[in-house]
Amino acid sequence: MLPFARVAIIGLGLIGSSLARAIRAEMPTVALTGHDASPEVREIARRIGLCDDIADNAGAAVTDADLVILCVPVRAMETVAAEIAADLPPECIVSDVGSCKGEILAGLTRALPGRIVIPAHPVAGTENSGPESGFATLFKGRWCIVTPPDGADPAAVERVSELWRRVGANVEIMNAQHHDLVLAVTSHLPHLIAYTIVGTASDLEDVTRSEVIKYSAGGFRDFTRIAASDPTMWRDVFLANKDAVLEMLQRFSEDLSALQRAIRWGDGDALFSLFTRTRAVRRSIIEEGQDDAAPDFGRSH
Amino acid sequence: MLPFARVAIIGLGLIGSSLARAIRAEMPTVALTGHDASPEVREIARRIGLCDDIADNAGAAVTDADLVILCVPVRAMETVAAEIAADLPPECIVSDVGSCKGEILAGLTRALPGRIVIPAHPVAGTENSGPESGFATLFKGRWCIVTPPDGADPAAVERVSELWRRVGANVEIMNAQHHDLVLAVTSHLPHLIAYTIVGTASDLEDVTRSEVIKYSAGGFRDFTRIAASDPTMWRDVFLANKDAVLEMLQRFSEDLSALQRAIRWGDGDALFSLFTRTRAVRRSIIEEGQDDAAPDFGRSH
């Protein structure tokens, strides 16, 4: 038995379009409607047949849905929720895929008083954006964190969870505040650091841009991948999860200062000790199936 | 015409064993001898037939060579050079593959007075270590930087350059000091930051190790790859290239503080502007063939 019969996806970028494809692949009888604020994206979505119907406005997409999933940047969530409020069927569940659950939960609750809101966050993605970059298997083997508000209906939580399981994800339930702390370290801080170092390298006077690019295989190129992620999405993430990001950034800066000091004073033992410890983390990630075991991410050589 | 007829490789880890395999593949008539300080590594090298001969000491490996390539950690270079000094044929060229050229050039010059020393650095690798992790195509399409001392014989520089071209690398000539500045940003700083963030994430109290691993696909897992690199090699790199690494680290920290401030004060425009700029760098790296164009490094999904 399918958890939902009529799903509306608002926002057809990488995640929204991947979810549409995954629902098509795994639950082909689900009636799928879609909307995107951009006319160009709607045009592409129609051309590639992403959904059964692409509506020209968000309200029209949700009139018949039993699940609406908002797949827009974090700071657009509340606005989009307000746009669909009048057209939303009473029993319809509203969910989303945003990376910061605290602010989104507050925004959706404000915009949709009395409605069933069950936020979620599939921890998956690539550096690419747009409806053509999505693919049906994006969520397979990844985790989706569902963050129900206090007092949420367990049956509604289970239906949203089941949708994510059907598209291949493992599901974890967590409160929004803890989610935001965990993701600050596993996702937001890494992106912030990657954006920073790519900026630092671009601004040097003594080393040319061409040299940075030519010799990027020494390690730098790894950082450029996530630093190529969608600017709007990530601006919103840092503003919406400010406290947790600043807390993790502070810890990172302290640890970096300690290493800086070890280098300055030639403390090889301190360096060696950290570098040995960090190897174990990589091993665990591979053992738990969260990355390829192939060396160099399996890049072709 | 081959640049060398008899090559000795000292140190049979990832780079040394890859070079041995590449020479076998591309220049099969070259007589190849090898040595590694570890009896276990010598045993493996003999079993897998890495070289024509594996010598039990470094001196015995070089007696007949016209090129010796030292593939040992940066701070072991001078010691190994001193070990081979007495056995080195007079016309033999000594080169290496170390990641910090200034300190290595000084060390080799001290240990081998009057000998032909032409350091080089192939900017290539994976996070794996040891003789069984090497492969013949590691250097294909990558850059090898040759850093001859002032007044080096151009013919010797050309022979070393030609060896690297034969195994598939592009060659650039640079002085050691500039090399160390360039690599500080394209390789050493990225490794230092990756080691730091993996350490920071491991040390949290409110987020468990298990959570860090489960949700690492949010970006964190990218950093764990280079933070799984060889601890001895990297300890040596940071101690040997101290000044350039500290300089780049200082710049990075300033840039990170600026972003921290932008987040604290909600300056979305500053964030958006940086995040847009960094996308272009990724594009250039792919256009220049220094990384895969496939999304997510081509990881399987």
Side-chain angles (χ1 to χ4, degrees):
Chain A
M1 162 117 174
L2 293 174
F4 299 97
R6 296 173 308 281
V7 176
I9 299 176
I10 311 296
L12 301 170
L14 170 67
I15 302 296
S17 77
S18 291
L19 184 57
R21 288 174 173 96
I23 291 174
R24 272 284 172 84
E26 305 294 338
M27 292 168 279
T29 58
V30 166
L32 203 53
T33 61
H35 168 73
D36 195 282
S38 151
E40 291 76 26
V41 170
R42 294 200 297 271
E43 173 65 31
I44 293 168
R46 282 185 188 115
R47 181 164 48 75
I48 64 179
L50 202 56
C51 300
D52 298 310
D53 186 49
I54 299 293
D56 277 333
N57 67 75
V62 309
T63 45
D64 200 33
D66 54 5
L67 173 69
V68 174
I69 306 189
L70 308 179
C71 305
V72 301
V74 171
R75 297 230 142 171
M77 294 283 181
E78 185 173 354
T79 312
V80 174
E83 277 171 39
I84 61 169
D87 295 296
L88 208 57
E91 298 304 312
C92 181
I93 295 175
V94 176
S95 188
D96 75 293
V97 297
S99 308
C100 317
K101 305 322 299 182
E103 181 162 315
I104 291 172
L105 180 59
L108 297 188
T109 307
R110 269 192 304 267
L112 302 168
R115 301 308 190 112
I116 313 169
V117 173
I118 312 286
H121 176 207
V123 185
T126 76
E127 67 277 28
N128 293 346
S129 317
E132 291 178 296
S133 61
F135 49 98
T137 56
L138 178 62
F139 310 108
K140 284 210 191 296
R142 298 283 82 82
W143 287 88
C144 180
I145 304 176
V146 179
T147 59
D150 291 343
D153 173 16
V157 175
E158 175 51 28
R159 286 172 73 196
V160 171
S161 302
E162 181 58 17
L163 179 97
W164 285 104
R165 282 188 216 107
R166 294 279 183 128
V167 299
N170 306 308
V171 171
E172 189 76 66
I173 311 283
M174 207 182 275
N175 71 46
Q177 195 190 0
H178 189 64
H179 167 281
D180 288 355
L181 198 63
V182 172
L183 271 288
V185 67
T186 63
S187 181
H188 309 169
L189 180 61
H191 277 79
L192 190 68
I193 286 168
Y195 280 123
T196 305
I197 190 174
V198 176
T200 305
S202 306
D203 292 343
L204 297 172
E205 310 88 24
D206 302 334
V207 177
T208 66
R209 171 77 71 103
S210 155
E211 287 174 324
V212 167
I213 287 159
K214 276 162 86 170
Y215 310 120
S216 62
F220 178 74
R221 64 177 176 172
D222 281 21
F223 294 71
T224 62
R225 188 186 75 79
I226 62 178
S229 301
D230 186 65
T232 304
M233 169 186 162
W234 284 97
R235 176 200 60 197
D236 281 12
V237 166
F238 295 121
L239 298 178
N241 198 21
K242 183 172 98 168
D243 293 344
V245 168
L246 289 176
E247 161 67 17
M248 293 301 169
L249 189 50
Q250 188 56 42
R251 286 170 180 261
F252 171 80
S253 295
E254 288 166 18
D255 292 345
L256 192 61
S257 293
L259 273 194
Q260 184 169 3
R261 191 170 188 281
I263 292 171
R264 196 178 294 284
W265 292 91
D267 184 354
D269 291 346
L271 299 176
F272 188 84
S273 152
L274 172 67
F275 301 170
T276 307
R277 213 152 58 82
T278 51
R279 267 195 151 170
V281 177
R282 177 73 185 164
R283 224 165 14 238
S284 302
I285 286 176
I286 290 168
E287 282 164 11
E288 306 247 331
Q290 292 303 313
D291 207 348
D292 279 358
D296 207 13
F297 299 124
R299 279 177 176 118
S300 54
H301 280 283
Chain B
M1 166 128 165
L2 294 174
F4 298 98
R6 296 172 308 280
V7 175
I9 299 176
I10 310 296
L12 300 171
L14 171 67
I15 302 295
S17 77
S18 291
L19 184 57
R21 288 173 171 96
I23 289 174
R24 271 287 171 82
E26 305 294 336
M27 293 168 278
T29 59
V30 166
L32 203 53
T33 62
H35 167 75
D36 194 282
S38 150
E40 291 75 25
V41 170
R42 294 199 298 271
E43 174 64 30
I44 294 168
R46 283 186 187 114
R47 180 163 49 73
I48 64 179
L50 201 58
C51 300
D52 298 308
D53 187 49
I54 300 293
D56 278 333
N57 67 74
V62 309
T63 46
D64 201 32
D66 54 4
L67 172 69
V68 174
I69 305 189
L70 307 179
C71 304
V72 300
V74 171
R75 296 230 142 172
M77 293 283 182
E78 184 172 355
T79 311
V80 173
E83 277 171 40
I84 61 168
D87 294 296
L88 207 59
E91 298 303 314
C92 181
I93 294 175
V94 177
S95 189
D96 75 293
V97 298
S99 308
C100 318
K101 306 322 295 182
E103 182 162 312
I104 291 172
L105 180 59
L108 297 186
T109 307
R110 270 192 303 268
L112 301 167
R115 301 309 190 111
I116 312 167
V117 173
I118 311 287
H121 176 207
V123 184
T126 78
E127 66 276 28
N128 292 346
S129 316
E132 290 177 298
S133 61
F135 49 98
T137 55
L138 178 61
F139 310 109
K140 284 210 192 295
R142 300 280 83 80
W143 286 88
C144 181
I145 304 174
V146 178
T147 59
D150 290 343
D153 173 17
V157 175
E158 175 50 30
R159 286 172 72 195
V160 170
S161 302
E162 181 59 17
L163 180 98
W164 285 104
R165 280 187 218 110
R166 292 281 184 127
V167 298
N170 305 309
V171 171
E172 189 75 65
I173 312 284
M174 207 182 274
N175 72 46
Q177 195 191 356
H178 189 62
H179 167 280
D180 288 355
L181 198 64
V182 172
L183 271 288
V185 69
T186 63
S187 179
H188 308 168
L189 180 62
H191 277 79
L192 191 69
I193 286 166
Y195 279 123
T196 304
I197 190 173
V198 177
T200 304
S202 307
D203 291 343
L204 298 172
E205 310 88 25
D206 302 335
V207 178
T208 66
R209 170 79 70 106
S210 155
E211 287 174 324
V212 167
I213 288 161
K214 277 162 85 171
Y215 310 119
S216 62
F220 178 73
R221 64 177 176 172
D222 281 20
F223 293 70
T224 62
R225 188 186 75 78
I226 61 175
S229 301
D230 187 65
T232 305
M233 170 185 160
W234 283 97
R235 176 199 60 198
D236 282 13
V237 166
F238 295 121
L239 298 178
N241 199 20
K242 185 172 95 166
D243 292 345
V245 168
L246 289 177
E247 161 68 17
M248 292 302 169
L249 190 48
Q250 188 56 41
R251 286 169 179 262
F252 171 80
S253 296
E254 287 166 19
D255 292 345
L256 191 60
S257 293
L259 274 194
Q260 183 169 4
R261 190 170 188 283
I263 293 172
R264 195 178 298 282
W265 291 92
D267 183 354
D269 291 346
L271 299 175
F272 188 83
S273 152
L274 172 66
F275 301 170
T276 308
R277 212 152 58 83
T278 51
R279 269 196 150 170
V281 177
R282 177 73 185 165
R283 226 167 10 240
S284 301
I285 286 176
I286 290 168
E287 283 164 10
E288 304 248 330
Q290 292 304 311
D291 207 346
D292 279 358
D296 209 12
F297 299 125
R299 280 175 177 120
S300 52
H301 280 283

